[in-house]
Amino acid sequence: VASFAVDGLSEGNIAGRLRYRSSEDQVGPRMILDAYNVSLSPDTALALLGDAFAEIGLKGAVLPDATRPTGQQFLTIAYINS
């Protein structure tokens, strides 16, 4: 597995795979979401003042992954039994 690091605010756009996993105490169904080709970029300025430290908004898009079979190119959601 290849990996790399990106220093904060050094790139205008980051592309890659995104995995979201529900927390253990989530209300409702727990899940793992794998999006195979995601593009993320900041949509607001970095907030250095205020209650939240270094908060920044993101916008993104889930794009098709042409290396995957038709119908499975965007994302997969797996539901986790409690």
Side-chain angles (χ1 to χ4, degrees):
V1 174
S3 64
F4 65 94
V6 176
D7 293 321
L9 302 176
S10 66
E11 297 289 331
N13 187 34
I14 297 174
R17 183 175 177 158
L18 175 75
R19 172 171 272 191
Y20 167 80
R21 183 181 180 107
S22 304
S23 65
E24 294 289 331
D25 60 350
Q26 164 140 351
V27 175
R30 293 182 49 228
M31 66 185 76
I32 297 174
L33 180 144
D34 283 311
Y36 307 113
N37 186 13
V38 177
S39 175
L40 297 174
S41 60
D43 71 346
T44 60
L46 179 63
L48 295 175
L49 300 175
D51 295 335
F53 174 74
E55 185 175 296
I56 189 166
L58 295 174
K59 63 181 176 180
V62 178
L63 307 168
D65 180 351
T67 65
R68 299 186 58 84
T70 300
Q72 300 174 13
Q73 294 180 337
F74 290 94
L75 57 93
T76 297
I77 300 173
Y79 290 92
I80 305 168
N81 294 330
S82 298

Coordinates of all heavy atoms in Angstrom, one line a residue:
V1 N 0.8 -1.2 0.0 CA 0.0 0.0 0.0 C 0.9 1.2 0.0 O 1.7 1.4 0.9 CB -0.9 0.0 1.2 CG1 -1.7 1.3 1.3 CG2 -1.8 -1.2 1.2
A2 N 0.7 2.1 -1.0 CA 1.5 3.3 -1.0 C 0.8 4.4 -0.2 O -0.4 4.4 0.0 CB 1.5 3.8 -2.5
S3 N 1.6 5.3 0.4 CA 1.0 6.3 1.2 C 1.9 7.6 1.1 O 3.0 7.5 0.6 CB 0.9 5.9 2.7 OG 2.2 5.7 3.2
F4 N 1.3 8.7 1.4 CA 2.0 10.0 1.4 C 1.4 10.9 2.4 O 0.3 10.7 2.9 CB 2.0 10.6 0.0 CG 0.7 10.9 -0.5 CD1 0.2 12.2 -0.4 CD2 -0.2 10.0 -1.1 CE1 -1.1 12.6 -0.8 CE2 -1.4 10.4 -1.6 CZ -1.9 11.7 -1.4
A5 N 2.1 12.0 2.7 CA 1.6 13.0 3.6 C 1.4 14.3 2.9 O 2.2 14.6 1.9 CB 2.5 13.2 4.8
V6 N 0.4 15.1 3.3 CA 0.2 16.4 2.7 C 0.3 17.4 3.8 O -0.5 17.3 4.8 CB -1.1 16.5 2.0 CG1 -1.4 17.9 1.5 CG2 -1.2 15.5 0.8
D7 N 1.1 18.4 3.7 CA 1.2 19.5 4.8 C 0.0 20.4 4.6 O -0.5 20.7 3.5 CB 2.5 20.3 4.6 CG 3.7 19.5 4.9 OD1 3.6 18.7 5.9 OD2 4.7 19.6 4.2
G8 N -0.6 20.8 5.8 CA -1.8 21.6 5.8 C -1.7 22.8 4.9 O -0.7 23.5 4.9
L9 N -2.7 23.0 4.1 CA -2.9 24.2 3.2 C -1.8 24.3 2.2 O -1.6 25.4 1.6 CB -2.9 25.5 4.0 CG -4.1 25.5 5.1 CD1 -4.0 26.8 5.9 CD2 -5.4 25.4 4.4
S10 N -1.1 23.2 1.9 CA 0.0 23.3 0.8 C -0.6 22.9 -0.5 O 0.0 23.1 -1.5 CB 1.1 22.4 1.2 OG 0.7 21.0 1.2
E11 N -1.7 22.2 -0.5 CA -2.4 21.8 -1.8 C -3.8 22.4 -1.9 O -4.5 22.4 -0.9 CB -2.5 20.2 -1.8 CG -1.1 19.5 -1.8 CD -0.4 19.6 -3.0 OE1 -1.0 19.8 -4.1 OE2 0.9 19.6 -3.0
G12 N -4.1 22.7 -3.1 CA -5.5 23.3 -3.3 C -6.5 22.2 -3.5 O -7.7 22.4 -3.4
N13 N -6.1 20.9 -3.8 CA -7.0 19.8 -4.1 C -6.3 18.5 -3.7 O -5.1 18.4 -4.0 CB -7.4 19.8 -5.6 CG -8.4 18.8 -5.9 OD1 -9.3 18.6 -5.1 ND2 -8.4 18.2 -7.1
I14 N -7.0 17.6 -3.1 CA -6.5 16.3 -2.7 C -7.4 15.3 -3.3 O -8.6 15.4 -3.1 CB -6.4 16.2 -1.2 CG1 -5.4 17.2 -0.6 CG2 -5.9 14.8 -0.8 CD1 -5.4 17.2 0.9
A15 N -6.8 14.3 -4.0 CA -7.6 13.2 -4.6 C -7.2 11.9 -4.0 O -6.0 11.7 -3.7 CB -7.4 13.2 -6.1
G16 N -8.1 11.0 -3.8 CA -7.8 9.7 -3.2 C -9.0 9.0 -2.8 O -10.1 9.3 -3.2
R17 N -8.8 8.0 -2.0 CA -9.9 7.1 -1.5 C -10.3 7.6 -0.1 O -9.5 8.1 0.7 CB -9.4 5.7 -1.4 CG -10.4 4.7 -0.9 CD -9.9 3.3 -1.0 NE -10.9 2.4 -0.5 CZ -10.9 1.1 -0.8 NH1 -10.0 0.6 -1.5 NH2 -11.9 0.3 -0.3
L18 N -11.6 7.5 0.2 CA -12.1 8.0 1.5 C -12.9 6.9 2.1 O -13.7 6.2 1.5 CB -13.1 9.2 1.2 CG -13.8 9.7 2.5 CD1 -12.8 10.5 3.4 CD2 -15.0 10.6 2.1
R19 N -12.6 6.7 3.4 CA -13.3 5.7 4.2 C -13.9 6.4 5.4 O -13.3 7.1 6.1 CB -12.4 4.5 4.7 CG -13.1 3.6 5.7 CD -12.4 2.4 6.0 NE -12.7 1.4 5.0 CZ -12.4 0.1 5.1 NH1 -11.7 -0.3 6.1 NH2 -12.7 -0.7 4.2
Y20 N -15.2 6.2 5.6 CA -16.0 6.7 6.8 C -16.5 5.5 7.5 O -17.1 4.6 7.0 CB -17.1 7.6 6.3 CG -18.1 7.9 7.5 CD1 -17.8 8.8 8.4 CD2 -19.2 7.1 7.6 CE1 -18.6 9.1 9.5 CE2 -20.1 7.4 8.7 CZ -19.8 8.4 9.6 OH -20.6 8.6 10.7
R21 N -16.2 5.5 8.8 CA -16.7 4.4 9.7 C -17.5 5.1 10.8 O -17.0 6.0 11.5 CB -15.6 3.6 10.3 CG -16.0 2.5 11.1 CD -14.8 1.7 11.7 NE -15.3 0.6 12.5 CZ -15.2 -0.7 12.1 NH1 -14.7 -1.0 11.0 NH2 -15.7 -1.6 12.9
S22 N -18.7 4.6 11.0 CA -19.6 5.1 12.1 C -18.9 4.9 13.5 O -18.2 3.9 13.6 CB -20.9 4.4 12.1 OG -21.6 4.4 10.9
S23 N -19.2 5.7 14.4 CA -18.7 5.5 15.7 C -19.5 4.4 16.5 O -20.6 4.1 16.1 CB -18.8 6.8 16.5 OG -20.1 7.2 16.7
E24 N -18.9 3.9 17.5 CA -19.5 2.8 18.3 C -20.8 3.2 18.9 O -21.7 2.4 19.1 CB -18.5 2.3 19.4 CG -17.3 1.7 18.9 CD -17.5 0.3 18.3 OE1 -18.4 -0.4 18.7 OE2 -16.7 0.0 17.3
D25 N -20.9 4.5 19.3 CA -22.1 5.0 20.0 C -23.1 5.7 19.1 O -24.0 6.4 19.5 CB -21.8 5.9 21.2 CG -21.0 7.1 20.7 OD1 -20.6 7.2 19.5 OD2 -20.8 8.0 21.5
Q26 N -23.0 5.4 17.8 CA -23.9 6.0 16.8 C -25.4 5.6 17.0 O -25.6 4.4 17.3 CB -23.5 5.7 15.4 CG -24.6 5.9 14.4 CD -24.1 6.5 13.1 OE1 -22.9 6.8 13.0 NE2 -24.9 6.6 12.1
V27 N -26.3 6.5 16.9 CA -27.7 6.2 16.9 C -28.1 5.8 15.5 O -27.8 6.5 14.6 CB -28.6 7.4 17.4 CG1 -30.0 7.1 17.4 CG2 -28.1 7.8 18.8
G28 N -28.8 4.7 15.4 CA -29.2 4.2 14.1 C -28.2 3.2 13.5 O -27.3 2.8 14.2
P29 N -28.3 2.8 12.3 CA -27.5 1.8 11.7 C -26.0 2.2 11.6 O -25.7 3.4 11.3 CB -28.0 1.5 10.3 CG -28.9 2.7 10.0 CD -29.3 3.3 11.3
R30 N -25.1 1.3 12.0 CA -23.7 1.6 11.9 C -23.2 1.1 10.5 O -23.7 0.1 10.0 CB -22.9 0.9 13.0 CG -23.2 1.5 14.4 CD -22.4 0.8 15.5 NE -21.0 0.7 15.2 CZ -20.3 -0.4 15.3 NH1 -20.8 -1.5 15.8 NH2 -19.0 -0.4 15.0
M31 N -22.2 1.8 9.9 CA -21.8 1.5 8.6 C -20.3 1.8 8.4 O -19.8 2.6 9.1 CB -22.7 2.2 7.6 CG -22.6 3.7 7.6 SD -23.7 4.5 6.5 CE -25.2 4.4 7.4
I32 N -19.8 1.3 7.3 CA -18.5 1.7 6.7 C -18.8 2.1 5.3 O -19.4 1.3 4.5 CB -17.5 0.5 6.7 CG1 -17.2 0.1 8.2 CG2 -16.2 0.9 6.0 CD1 -16.3 -1.1 8.3
L33 N -18.4 3.3 4.9 CA -18.6 3.8 3.5 C -17.2 3.9 2.9 O -16.3 4.5 3.5 CB -19.3 5.1 3.6 CG -19.5 5.8 2.2 CD1 -20.8 6.5 2.2 CD2 -18.4 6.7 1.8
D34 N -17.0 3.3 1.8 CA -15.8 3.4 1.0 C -16.1 4.1 -0.3 O -16.8 3.5 -1.1 CB -15.2 2.0 0.7 CG -14.4 1.4 1.9 OD1 -13.6 2.2 2.5 OD2 -14.7 0.3 2.2
A35 N -15.5 5.3 -0.5 CA -15.6 6.0 -1.8 C -14.3 5.8 -2.5 O -13.2 6.2 -1.9 CB -16.0 7.4 -1.6
Y36 N -14.2 5.3 -3.7 CA -13.0 4.9 -4.3 C -12.2 6.0 -5.0 O -11.0 5.9 -5.1 CB -13.3 3.8 -5.4 CG -14.1 2.7 -4.8 CD1 -15.4 2.5 -5.1 CD2 -13.5 1.9 -3.8 CE1 -16.1 1.4 -4.6 CE2 -14.3 0.9 -3.2 CZ -15.6 0.7 -3.6 OH -16.3 -0.3 -3.0
N37 N -12.8 7.1 -5.4 CA -12.1 8.2 -6.1 C -12.8 9.5 -5.7 O -13.8 9.8 -6.2 CB -12.2 8.0 -7.6 CG -11.4 9.0 -8.4 OD1 -10.6 9.7 -7.8 ND2 -11.6 9.1 -9.7
V38 N -12.2 10.2 -4.7 CA -12.7 11.4 -4.1 C -11.8 12.6 -4.4 O -10.6 12.4 -4.3 CB -13.0 11.2 -2.6 CG1 -13.5 12.4 -2.0 CG2 -13.9 10.0 -2.4
S39 N -12.4 13.7 -4.7 CA -11.6 14.9 -4.8 C -12.1 15.9 -3.7 O -13.3 16.2 -3.6 CB -11.8 15.5 -6.2 OG -11.2 16.8 -6.3
L40 N -11.2 16.4 -2.8 CA -11.5 17.3 -1.8 C -10.7 18.6 -1.9 O -9.5 18.6 -2.3 CB -11.2 16.7 -0.4 CG -12.0 15.5 0.0 CD1 -11.4 14.9 1.3 CD2 -13.4 15.8 0.1
S41 N -11.4 19.7 -1.6 CA -10.7 21.0 -1.6 C -11.3 21.9 -0.6 O -12.5 21.8 -0.3 CB -10.7 21.7 -3.0 OG -12.1 21.9 -3.4
P42 N -10.6 22.9 -0.1 CA -11.1 23.8 0.9 C -12.2 24.8 0.3 O -12.0 25.2 -0.9 CB -9.9 24.6 1.4 CG -8.9 24.4 0.4 CD -9.2 23.1 -0.3
D43 N -13.2 25.1 1.0 CA -14.2 26.0 0.4 C -14.4 27.3 1.3 O -15.2 28.1 1.0 CB -15.6 25.3 0.2 CG -16.3 25.0 1.5 OD1 -15.7 25.0 2.6 OD2 -17.5 24.7 1.4
T44 N -13.6 27.3 2.4 CA -13.6 28.5 3.2 C -12.1 28.8 3.7 O -11.2 28.0 3.5 CB -14.4 28.3 4.5 OG1 -13.9 27.2 5.2 CG2 -15.9 28.1 4.1
A45 N -11.9 30.0 4.2 CA -10.6 30.3 4.8 C -10.4 29.5 6.1 O -11.4 29.2 6.8 CB -10.5 31.8 5.0
L46 N -9.2 29.3 6.4 CA -8.8 28.7 7.7 C -9.2 29.6 8.9 O -8.7 30.7 8.9 CB -7.3 28.3 7.7 CG -6.8 27.7 9.0 CD1 -7.4 26.3 9.2 CD2 -5.3 27.5 8.9
A47 N -10.0 29.1 9.8 CA -10.5 29.9 10.9 C -9.5 29.7 12.1 O -9.5 28.7 12.8 CB -11.9 29.5 11.3
L48 N -8.6 30.7 12.3 CA -7.7 30.6 13.4 C -8.2 31.3 14.7 O -7.7 31.1 15.8 CB -6.4 31.2 13.0 CG -5.6 30.5 11.9 CD1 -4.4 31.3 11.5 CD2 -5.3 29.1 12.3
L49 N -9.3 32.1 14.6 CA -9.9 32.7 15.7 C -11.3 32.1 15.9 O -11.9 31.7 15.0 CB -10.0 34.2 15.5 CG -8.7 35.0 15.2 CD1 -9.0 36.4 14.9 CD2 -7.8 34.9 16.4
G50 N -11.6 32.0 17.2 CA -13.0 31.5 17.5 C -12.9 30.3 18.5 O -11.8 30.0 19.0
D51 N -14.0 29.6 18.7 CA -14.1 28.5 19.6 C -13.4 27.2 19.1 O -12.9 26.4 19.8 CB -15.5 28.2 19.9 CG -16.2 29.3 20.7 OD1 -15.4 30.1 21.3 OD2 -17.4 29.5 20.6
A52 N -13.4 27.0 17.8 CA -12.9 25.8 17.2 C -11.5 26.1 16.6 O -11.3 27.1 15.9 CB -13.7 25.3 16.1
F53 N -10.5 25.3 17.0 CA -9.1 25.6 16.5 C -8.9 25.1 15.1 O -9.2 24.0 14.8 CB -8.1 24.9 17.4 CG -6.7 25.0 16.9 CD1 -6.0 26.2 17.0 CD2 -6.1 24.0 16.3 CE1 -4.7 26.4 16.6 CE2 -4.8 24.1 15.8 CZ -4.1 25.3 16.0
A54 N -8.5 26.0 14.2 CA -8.1 25.7 12.9 C -9.2 24.9 12.1 O -8.9 23.9 11.5 CB -6.8 25.0 12.8
E55 N -10.4 25.4 12.2 CA -11.5 24.8 11.5 C -11.5 25.3 10.0 O -11.3 26.4 9.8 CB -12.8 25.2 12.2 CG -14.0 24.5 11.6 CD -15.3 24.8 12.4 OE1 -15.3 24.4 13.6 OE2 -16.2 25.5 11.8
I56 N -11.8 24.3 9.1 CA -11.8 24.7 7.7 C -12.9 23.8 7.0 O -13.1 22.7 7.4 CB -10.5 24.4 7.0 CG1 -10.5 25.0 5.6 CG2 -10.1 23.0 7.0 CD1 -9.1 25.1 5.0
G57 N -13.7 24.5 6.2 CA -14.7 23.8 5.4 C -14.1 23.1 4.2 O -13.1 23.6 3.6
L58 N -14.7 22.0 3.8 CA -14.3 21.3 2.6 C -15.5 21.1 1.7 O -16.6 21.0 2.1 CB -13.8 19.9 3.0 CG -12.5 19.8 3.8 CD1 -12.3 18.3 4.2 CD2 -11.3 20.4 3.1
K59 N -15.1 21.0 0.4 CA -16.1 20.6 -0.6 C -15.5 19.4 -1.4 O -14.3 19.3 -1.4 CB -16.5 21.7 -1.6 CG -15.4 22.3 -2.4 CD -15.9 23.4 -3.3 CE -14.7 24.0 -4.1 NZ -15.1 25.1 -4.9
G60 N -16.3 18.6 -1.9 CA -15.8 17.4 -2.5 C -16.7 16.8 -3.5 O -17.9 17.2 -3.6
A61 N -16.2 15.9 -4.3 CA -16.9 15.1 -5.2 C -16.5 13.7 -5.3 O -15.3 13.4 -5.1 CB -16.8 15.8 -6.6
V62 N -17.4 12.8 -5.4 CA -17.1 11.4 -5.6 C -17.2 11.1 -7.1 O -18.2 11.3 -7.7 CB -18.1 10.5 -4.8 CG1 -17.8 9.0 -5.1 CG2 -18.1 10.8 -3.3
L63 N -16.0 10.7 -7.6 CA -15.9 10.5 -9.0 C -15.8 9.0 -9.4 O -15.5 8.2 -8.5 CB -14.6 11.2 -9.5 CG -14.4 12.7 -9.1 CD1 -13.0 13.1 -9.4 CD2 -15.5 13.5 -9.8
P64 N -16.2 8.6 -10.6 CA -16.1 7.2 -10.9 C -14.6 6.7 -11.0 O -13.7 7.4 -11.3 CB -16.7 7.1 -12.3 CG -16.6 8.5 -12.9 CD -16.6 9.4 -11.7
D65 N -14.5 5.4 -10.5 CA -13.2 4.8 -10.6 C -13.3 3.8 -11.7 O -13.9 2.7 -11.6 CB -12.9 4.1 -9.3 CG -11.6 3.3 -9.3 OD1 -10.9 3.2 -10.3 OD2 -11.2 2.8 -8.2
A66 N -12.6 4.1 -12.9 CA -12.7 3.3 -14.1 C -12.1 1.9 -13.9 O -12.3 1.0 -14.8 CB -12.1 4.0 -15.3
T67 N -11.3 1.7 -12.9 CA -10.7 0.4 -12.7 C -11.6 -0.6 -12.1 O -11.3 -1.8 -12.0 CB -9.4 0.5 -11.8 OG1 -9.8 0.9 -10.5 CG2 -8.4 1.5 -12.4
R68 N -12.8 -0.2 -11.6 CA -13.8 -1.1 -11.0 C -14.9 -1.4 -11.9 O -15.1 -0.7 -12.9 CB -14.3 -0.4 -9.7 CG -13.2 -0.1 -8.7 CD -13.8 0.4 -7.4 NE -14.7 -0.5 -6.8 CZ -14.4 -1.5 -6.0 NH1 -13.1 -1.8 -5.8 NH2 -15.3 -2.3 -5.5
P69 N -15.6 -2.5 -11.7 CA -16.6 -3.0 -12.6 C -17.8 -2.0 -12.7 O -18.0 -1.2 -11.7 CB -17.1 -4.3 -12.0 CG -16.1 -4.7 -11.0 CD -15.4 -3.5 -10.6
T70 N -18.5 -2.0 -13.8 CA -19.7 -1.1 -14.0 C -20.7 -1.4 -12.8 O -20.9 -2.5 -12.5 CB -20.3 -1.4 -15.3 OG1 -19.3 -1.1 -16.3 CG2 -21.5 -0.5 -15.5
G71 N -21.2 -0.3 -12.3 CA -22.1 -0.4 -11.2 C -21.5 -0.4 -9.8 O -22.1 -0.3 -8.8
Q72 N -20.1 -0.5 -9.8 CA -19.4 -0.5 -8.5 C -18.3 0.6 -8.5 O -17.3 0.5 -7.8 CB -18.8 -1.9 -8.3 CG -19.8 -3.0 -8.2 CD -19.1 -4.3 -8.1 OE1 -17.9 -4.4 -7.9 NE2 -19.8 -5.4 -8.3
Q73 N -18.5 1.6 -9.4 CA -17.4 2.5 -9.6 C -17.4 3.7 -8.6 O -16.4 4.4 -8.6 CB -17.5 3.1 -11.0 CG -17.2 2.0 -12.0 CD -17.3 2.5 -13.5 OE1 -17.9 3.6 -13.7 NE2 -16.6 1.9 -14.4
F74 N -18.4 3.9 -7.8 CA -18.4 5.1 -7.0 C -18.2 4.8 -5.5 O -17.2 5.4 -4.9 CB -19.8 5.9 -7.1 CG -19.9 6.5 -8.5 CD1 -20.6 5.8 -9.5 CD2 -19.4 7.8 -8.7 CE1 -20.7 6.4 -10.8 CE2 -19.6 8.3 -10.0 CZ -20.2 7.7 -11.0
L75 N -19.0 4.0 -4.9 CA -18.8 3.7 -3.5 C -19.5 2.5 -3.1 O -20.4 2.0 -3.8 CB -19.3 4.9 -2.6 CG -20.7 5.4 -2.8 CD1 -21.6 4.7 -1.8 CD2 -20.8 6.9 -2.6
T76 N -19.1 2.0 -1.9 CA -19.8 0.8 -1.3 C -20.1 1.2 0.2 O -19.3 1.7 0.9 CB -18.8 -0.4 -1.3 OG1 -18.6 -0.8 -2.7 CG2 -19.5 -1.6 -0.6
I77 N -21.3 0.8 0.6 CA -21.7 1.0 2.0 C -21.9 -0.4 2.6 O -22.7 -1.2 2.1 CB -22.9 1.8 2.1 CG1 -22.7 3.2 1.5 CG2 -23.4 1.9 3.6 CD1 -23.9 4.1 1.5
A78 N -21.2 -0.7 3.6 CA -21.4 -2.0 4.4 C -22.0 -1.7 5.7 O -21.5 -0.9 6.5 CB -20.1 -2.7 4.5
Y79 N -23.1 -2.3 6.0 CA -23.8 -2.1 7.3 C -23.1 -3.1 8.3 O -22.9 -4.2 8.0 CB -25.3 -2.3 7.2 CG -25.9 -1.2 6.5 CD1 -26.1 -1.3 5.1 CD2 -26.3 0.0 7.1 CE1 -26.7 -0.2 4.4 CE2 -26.8 1.0 6.4 CZ -27.0 0.9 5.0 OH -27.6 2.0 4.3
I80 N -22.9 -2.6 9.5 CA -22.2 -3.4 10.6 C -23.2 -3.8 11.6 O -24.0 -3.0 12.1 CB -21.1 -2.5 11.3 CG1 -20.1 -1.9 10.3 CG2 -20.4 -3.3 12.4 CD1 -19.2 -0.9 10.9
N81 N -23.2 -5.1 11.9 CA -24.2 -5.5 13.0 C -23.7 -5.1 14.3 O -22.5 -5.0 14.6 CB -24.2 -7.1 13.0 CG -24.8 -7.7 11.7 OD1 -25.6 -7.0 11.1 ND2 -24.3 -8.8 11.3
S82 N -24.7 -4.7 15.1 CA -24.4 -4.2 16.5 C -24.0 -5.3 17.4 O -24.4 -6.4 17.3 CB -25.6 -3.4 17.0 OG -25.8 -2.3 16.2

